[in-house]
Amino acid sequence: MRPNYVLVDFENVRPDSAELLADECFRLIVFVGASQAKIPFEFVASVQRMGCRAEYVRISGNGPNALDFHISYYIGRLSATEPTAFFHIISKDSGFDPLIEHLRGVRSSAQRFAAIGEIPIVRVLNARTPAQRLDVALGRLRQMKATKPASIKTLNGTISSLFLGRLNDDEVSAVVRGLVNRGSVSIVGNDVTYAPSVGV
């Protein structure tokens, strides 16, 4: 799996924990403002458990957008050495959006989220219960619009791929049953149709 860098603008967003980033595919860089003197213990402890997959970067000096420029620099440096990496900026600052559009234009993968738990791959990798898996699968099917799987085989394959091949056949079948029981999907023979709430 390609590396997923999570870059936290700690001046703008203060996550309670980094526990959701336990999977080995995640790398965490926490950018801390020059005048920020305290970081909550719970957050620090969860970052420490990530070992060498996490680091802090203290910003050099104060100034408008100083932290933003540091994040931009790190994304540029990392994308040059790891062109397949995905960059997730955690910030409520929409000033990052032009950078993200530019990165996409040069075929780099980047998105901005207000919280770590909003990152789609974080939601997928932390979906442990049948209800959580069902919510993740339903969210993905809604995004697919006209390209939804039309057969039970392709639906099973889509769900398996969504969860990165980490679910066994019984777990994939349980997600499909959940979709049927919720009324989101109908299966007749091998054909799959979707309720209006899932989209056409």
Side-chain angles (χ1 to χ4, degrees):
M1 182 186 306
R2 64 183 179 166
N4 282 262
Y5 282 92
V6 178
L7 303 103
V8 176
D9 175 352
F10 206 76
E11 282 185 332
N12 185 269
V13 174
R14 304 223 176 146
D16 294 328
S17 171
E19 289 296 327
L20 294 175
L21 304 176
D23 195 274
E24 290 294 317
C25 73
F26 294 114
R27 308 287 181 269
L28 174 65
I29 306 175
V30 181
F31 293 84
V32 181
S35 59
Q36 282 184 284
K38 297 179 182 178
I39 301 175
F41 176 81
E42 293 78 14
F43 180 73
V44 171
S46 67
V47 170
Q48 190 170 344
R49 283 190 286 276
M50 292 181 70
C52 63
R53 295 184 299 111
E55 66 179 293
Y56 293 94
V57 174
R58 186 167 200 109
I59 302 312
S60 307
N62 292 306
N65 300 317
L67 190 143
D68 301 16
F69 289 128
H70 280 70
I71 289 177
S72 299
Y73 165 76
Y74 272 78
I75 290 175
R77 191 182 80 182
L78 290 166
S79 64
T81 58
E82 296 186 69
T84 63
F86 203 118
F87 300 98
H88 310 278
I89 300 170
I90 306 303
S91 179
K92 294 177 183 172
D93 183 353
S94 61
F96 284 110
D97 295 348
L99 169 66
I100 290 166
E101 287 304 313
H102 175 72
L103 289 168
R104 288 179 180 163
V106 295
R107 298 181 186 255
S108 286
S109 300
Q111 286 184 294
R112 178 179 62 85
F113 301 95
I116 291 171
E118 293 178 7
I119 301 171
I121 192 166
V122 168
R123 292 188 67 224
V124 165
L125 293 175
N126 286 280
R128 307 267 190 253
T129 68
Q132 290 170 333
R133 290 174 180 161
L134 182 58
D135 287 343
V136 168
L138 199 50
R140 177 66 184 122
L141 289 170
R142 284 187 176 121
Q143 289 174 340
M144 293 177 82
K145 299 187 179 170
T147 60
K148 288 180 180 56
S151 72
I152 187 66
K153 181 179 179 181
T154 55
L155 178 59
N156 284 338
T158 297
I159 291 168
S160 181
S161 294
L162 173 63
F163 290 97
L164 310 171
R166 295 182 181 197
L167 301 185
N168 62 38
D169 290 345
D170 290 340
E171 290 169 323
V172 170
S173 295
V175 173
V176 172
R177 277 194 309 277
L179 291 167
V180 171
N181 292 341
R182 190 179 276 192
S184 302
V185 166
S186 294
I187 298 174
V188 177
N190 287 321
D191 296 332
V192 178
T193 56
Y194 299 88
S197 61
V198 184
V200 178

